[in-house]
Amino acid sequence: MPAAVEFEPHRRLWLLTGPSTSYAVRLAADDGVRHVHWGEPVTLDQAAELADRDERTPHPAASSFEHGVGPEELPVEGGPRFGPAALRVRFADGTRAVEWRHTGARVEAESLRIDLADRHYPLAVALHYRLAGDVLERWTEVTNHGTTPIAVLRCDSAAWTVPAGPRHRLSHLVGAWSSEFRLQRADLPTAETVLTSRRGVTSHHANPWLAIDDGTAGEEHGEVFSAALAWSGSWRITVHRDPSGRAGFTGGFGHEGLSWTLAPGETLETPVFAGLHTRSGFGGASRSWHRYVRDEILPETRETRPVLYNSWEATGFDVDEAGQLALAARAAGLGAELFVMDDGWFGARTSERAGLGDWTPNPHRFPRGLAPLAAEVRRLGMRFGLWLEPEMVNPDSDLYRTHPDWVLHMPHRRRTEMRHQLVLNLGRPDVAAWTHQWLDALVGDLGLDFLKWDANRPFTEAGWPGHPDPDRVHLAHTRAVYQIMDRLRADHPGLRIESCAGGGGRADLGILRRTDQVWPSDNTDAVDRIAIQHGFGQLFPARVMGAWVTDSPNVTTGRVIPLRFRFHVAMAGVLGLGGNLTAWTTEELKEAAGLVAAYKVVRPVVQHGTAYRVSGGGTLTGVHYVLGADQVILAWCPSRPYGHTPGPLRLTAVDPQGVYRDLDTGATHSGAALLTSGLPLDLPAGDHASVLVRLTRIDDSE
Ligand code: GLA
């Protein structure tokens, strides 16, 4: 069923309906936009009934201390409102309260725009809704139609309301460098809970994604509401639950304390805050997100990501032509399709102390430039890519010596260095133009196929001296990154981009509109990676999840892990190789080549299929990918406490009437058996046991 928007004029009620979700809002008597429904598909009559109930139920009780507004789509300040405001402004005379007047609405096929204006001041707001399947995209525009500036103290993309109830549970992602995307799931306190990044990038520490359920949802059952913000700079989401059990959240760009001056005639447009509802549990929510990312967000929706090789863990900063050629030869021999030279190839970049900003090949390391390396990589049958960190500069660089004013800074304040680097202010048109110009020339000259776009520190002293509205830098910098990427892609159609910020510091729906994959973490330890991938996969599909097989012991954790296990974990995403292949034994190279070949066989199912997370007893977990009749199961059992054999891996995505053949062993399984007693696994004994199983459905009742 295509998405539709309906309007009921008597109640001034709009209903948006997608394949399995409806969303309804209405204009209240005070012209504010009230939330009516988010959940099951309902008819317009049913939505009207819900709106009438909402109108009759006073919000809330009879006490002079309670508020009486009801759930709003974009709460402002003023009136009896005491929750977190989604829009906070201050007019030139000091007034902060807003009172609305409805000025119009526009319905198009799958989208709705509701226009409001302040009753006195020249402030206009447009609330936007667009259905993309069952994902509802929401964003806001605020416009100053007057002649004096208006201060915008907060401008969220959207406020969302979930059904009231005795209990709410919040799922969200936390982390740090090397331990990103750790899923947390705990009861929502009766309080305001803030998820935020004040770092100028999306951040390792919190990701702008969340899910809310009533405490009873599971992987494949239960009602789940989930939302994700499409923004790659600082952000803030405030989740709230009040003592009577009402709950919701509001979110958007910028962290608390920032403000923007809306000049006369100016419009500020927020990023999209997307939301979805499902009755199919956390797994169902993830699958809806995956579909949305693949079909609506990614620039190349149908493309299959290549197996890449990256030099970072092999060489660190010690790159040169001979060393890279040796790695490239081995990588090609293993079946890599894309070779990416990481940090250390430019300027005086022989360590993290110098050279960032001087984007010309180091003449000692690459006396002939990079063209011969690129040519040899291509002769070996691979595409060629480079690591870059375009937003950053080392103070010890020619760029900084020439343009010390190009970085984020504040007068009379020290410039805090992290990893010996500062952040360029890409909000400045001259800095953005320079950045685009050198990137465009580099990509064009070498015909680069791939950029690993890194950003290895957060913002500090994020000022913009001389600018009348210095907090603008938080919006302008991120938008400039977007614009540069968009332009590069438009001008170089073959170019693909990986989003990296010291690992998973910039993974969000905003960056994925212009990138093809994400580097989720600098932690490549396959055991740690299971948890990181579990969290990452709540929102993002395997198609965008870079995953390298690196050396053992692991450089970060020192853990020793068999090659097969390392491969099986990395095969759950976009397989890459990141080890020092020149030190791998002949046996290791042979085994690795076999595993790369095996990945290529299952890759269409992993990258384009539907993912179901499965688990067995003990530490056994896995992912089951389904594409048509083809099924791939990757399962990992990192340890066996007490030597116990893990419990069966019960599949959830098989038809009980179906018959499935194991393509490697020839064994057949009935769907009923796979659902009830599980998939028999031939797990090797001991720790770090893993399997790859390929099934195909062989009955023709499908
Ligand atoms: C960051 C990235 C790494 C690597 C280094 C290079 O830490 O996450 O993968 O590219 O920078 O300095």
Side-chain angles (χ1 to χ4, degrees):
M1 186 185 85
V5 186
E6 296 165 90
F7 179 58
E8 201 277 291
H10 177 60
R11 295 175 183 81
R12 303 195 297 173
L13 169 77
W14 288 272
L15 173 66
L16 297 95
T17 301
S20 63
T21 302
S22 284
Y23 193 92
V25 298
R26 70 182 173 93
L27 282 173
D30 65 0
D31 274 9
V33 185
R34 301 285 197 274
H35 177 73
V36 173
H37 171 76
W38 181 17
E40 302 297 306
V42 293
T43 63
L44 197 56
D45 284 347
Q46 291 164 338
E49 184 188 338
L50 291 169
D52 290 348
R53 282 189 195 184
D54 190 44
E55 188 77 289
R56 279 197 307 271
T57 315
H59 284 276
S63 149
S64 58
F65 293 97
E66 303 299 327
H67 70 86
V69 174
E72 294 188 289
E73 294 289 282
L74 196 75
V76 290
E77 292 187 297
R81 296 181 179 89
F82 305 101
L87 177 66
R88 296 172 56 219
V89 296
R90 189 172 50 232
F91 300 105
D93 64 2
T95 295
R96 296 175 66 120
V98 171
E99 293 180 8
W100 291 128
R101 176 168 62 84
H102 175 55
T103 56
R106 200 165 67 217
V107 172
E108 273 161 23
E110 292 162 0
S111 63
L112 164 67
R113 170 194 170 121
I114 302 176
D115 285 292
L116 305 169
D118 186 87
R119 287 182 184 273
H120 174 79
Y121 295 92
L123 174 76
V125 161
L127 273 52
H128 289 272
Y129 300 81
R130 185 181 90 89
L131 270 171
D134 276 322
V135 173
L136 180 62
E137 297 181 336
R138 296 183 54 194
W139 70 101
T140 296
E141 283 176 320
V142 288
T143 302
N144 178 357
H145 288 299
T147 52
T148 50
I150 300 173
V152 176
L153 310 173
R154 182 81 209 151
C155 185
D156 279 346
S157 302
W160 301 83
T161 301
V162 298
R167 184 180 171 204
H168 291 97
R169 187 167 57 166
L170 174 68
S171 303
H172 61 119
L173 298 167
V174 305
W177 176 80
S178 194
S179 60
E180 299 87 335
F181 304 107
R182 279 177 289 150
L183 180 64
Q184 308 285 298
R185 189 161 285 155
D187 274 13
L188 186 64
T190 301
E192 292 179 11
T193 303
V194 174
L195 315 178
T196 189
S197 162
R198 303 184 182 93
R199 295 164 190 266
V201 289
T202 323
S203 98
H204 305 71
H205 304 77
N207 190 272
W209 167 89
L210 60 81
I212 293 184
D213 74 301
D214 68 0
T216 64
E219 186 59 25
E220 296 300 335
H221 68 84
E223 185 168 40
V224 175
F225 297 86
S226 184
L229 186 69
W231 184 247
S232 313
S234 287
W235 56 271
R236 174 183 164 106
I237 298 171
T238 305
V239 193
H240 50 94
R241 176 181 152 84
D242 75 12
S244 61
R246 289 184 296 244
F249 52 92
T250 177
F253 55 16
H255 53 267
E256 87 289 359
L258 300 179
S259 67
W260 303 294
T261 305
L262 202 56
E266 197 189 354
T267 296
L268 187 66
E269 183 176 337
T270 72
V272 163
F273 198 6
L276 63 85
H277 162 267
T278 178
R279 290 227 174 248
S280 305
F282 300 111
S286 294
R287 287 188 288 279
S288 292
W289 283 126
H290 295 175
R291 242 190 327 273
Y292 173 65
V293 171
R294 282 196 306 246
D295 297 347
E296 302 277 339
I297 299 284
L298 288 178
E300 305 293 335
T301 49
R302 300 278 156 243
E303 211 168 85
T304 301
R305 304 301 314 138
V307 175
L308 70 72
Y309 176 81
N310 178 292
S311 65
W312 174 244
E313 286 200 19
T315 60
F317 293 97
D318 295 330
V319 297
D320 60 20
E321 190 176 315
Q324 293 295 302
L325 285 174
L327 289 167
R330 288 258 161 129
L334 293 187
E337 298 154 319
L338 164 66
F339 182 85
V340 184
M341 177 161 63
D342 210 279
D343 203 349
W345 58 267
F346 52 91
R349 185 77 169 170
T350 53
S351 77
E352 59 186 41
R353 292 181 169 270
L356 274 180
D358 300 338
W359 298 105
T360 46
N362 179 318
H364 308 293
R365 296 176 162 200
F366 297 93
R368 305 187 296 155
L370 300 183
L373 173 62
E376 177 60 11
V377 164
R378 295 200 168 103
R379 195 194 62 77
L380 289 166
M382 297 182 290
R383 287 173 247 176
F384 183 59
L386 282 180
W387 177 96
L388 305 156
E389 204 179 352
E391 300 151 79
M392 303 290 165
V393 62
N394 285 121
D396 184 0
S397 66
D398 292 340
L399 179 69
Y400 190 71
R401 282 183 282 274
T402 316
H403 296 291
D405 54 325
W406 276 15
V407 297
L408 299 180
H409 67 286
M410 292 173 174
H412 317 298
R413 295 291 166 239
R414 66 176 70 92
R415 301 178 180 197
T416 303
E417 292 180 25
M418 299 174 85
R419 212 191 192 211
H420 308 281
Q421 64 195 59
L422 298 167
V423 184
L424 291 172
N425 178 355
L426 293 196
R428 283 178 55 146
D430 54 346
V431 183
W434 174 83
T435 305
H436 170 260
Q437 179 264 322
W438 73 257
L439 277 163
D440 182 59
L442 188 72
V443 173
D445 289 351
L446 291 167
L448 288 179
D449 301 299
F450 188 85
L451 303 181
K452 177 179 173 186
W453 182 304
D454 207 343
N456 273 311
R457 59 155 293 170
F459 291 10
T460 59
E461 297 87 34
W464 191 340
H467 193 284
D469 194 24
D471 287 354
R472 283 281 169 157
V473 73
H474 284 276
L475 311 185
H477 181 100
T478 301
R479 287 183 177 148
V481 169
Y482 289 170
Q483 279 159 10
I484 293 170
M485 288 182 174
D486 291 346
R487 244 180 109 182
L488 289 173
R489 294 191 80 108
D491 295 341
H492 307 277
L495 181 69
R496 300 291 175 262
I497 305 177
E498 177 173 56
S499 174
C500 173
R506 187 144 60 192
D508 57 77
L509 300 180
I511 205 71
L512 277 174
R513 276 210 183 275
R514 55 270 303 168
T515 55
D516 303 277
Q517 60 192 70
V518 174
W519 182 230
S521 181
D522 278 348
N523 185 339
T524 59
D525 175 310
V527 173
D528 287 351
R529 204 67 183 228
I530 292 172
I532 291 169
Q533 294 185 171
H534 180 72
F536 187 87
Q538 299 296 315
L539 173 59
F540 304 113
R543 244 292 293 282
V544 305
M545 186 172 76
W548 309 339
V549 173
T550 55
D551 296 338
S552 178
N554 184 270
V555 285
T556 307
T557 64
R559 197 181 266 139
V560 175
I561 302 176
L563 193 67
R564 175 183 150 97
F565 188 92
R566 282 177 270 152
F567 262 96
H568 282 165
V569 172
M571 285 160 115
V574 178
L575 178 68
L577 303 164
N580 181 8
L581 302 181
T582 57
W584 286 21
T585 64
T586 314
E587 291 72 48
E588 284 173 325
L589 291 170
K590 190 165 166 240
E591 188 182 357
L595 286 158
V596 172
Y599 176 71
K600 288 180 182 169
V601 172
V602 300
R603 173 165 61 182
V605 184
V606 170
Q607 291 196 14
H608 302 293
T610 305
Y612 298 80
R613 292 182 287 260
V614 286
S615 58
T619 65
L620 179 66
T621 61
V623 184
H624 177 191
Y625 305 86
V626 181
L627 184 65
D630 294 327
Q631 313 219 340
V632 172
I633 296 109
L634 286 155
W636 321 284
C637 185
S639 65
R640 277 190 209 200
Y642 316 108
H644 291 173
T645 302
L649 196 67
R650 283 169 66 170
L651 303 187
T652 52
V654 288
D655 180 347
Q657 311 305 329
V659 181
Y660 300 83
R661 174 178 293 134
D662 185 317
L663 288 170
D664 295 299
T665 66
T668 57
H669 309 285
S670 72
L674 293 171
L675 282 169
T676 51
S677 93
L679 178 68
L681 294 182
D682 185 18
L683 278 176
D687 287 349
H688 305 126
S690 60
V691 286
L692 162 64
V693 179
R694 298 184 300 137
L695 301 177
T696 195
R697 186 167 179 173
I698 53 171
D699 60 295
D700 34 271
S701 61
E702 200 202 352

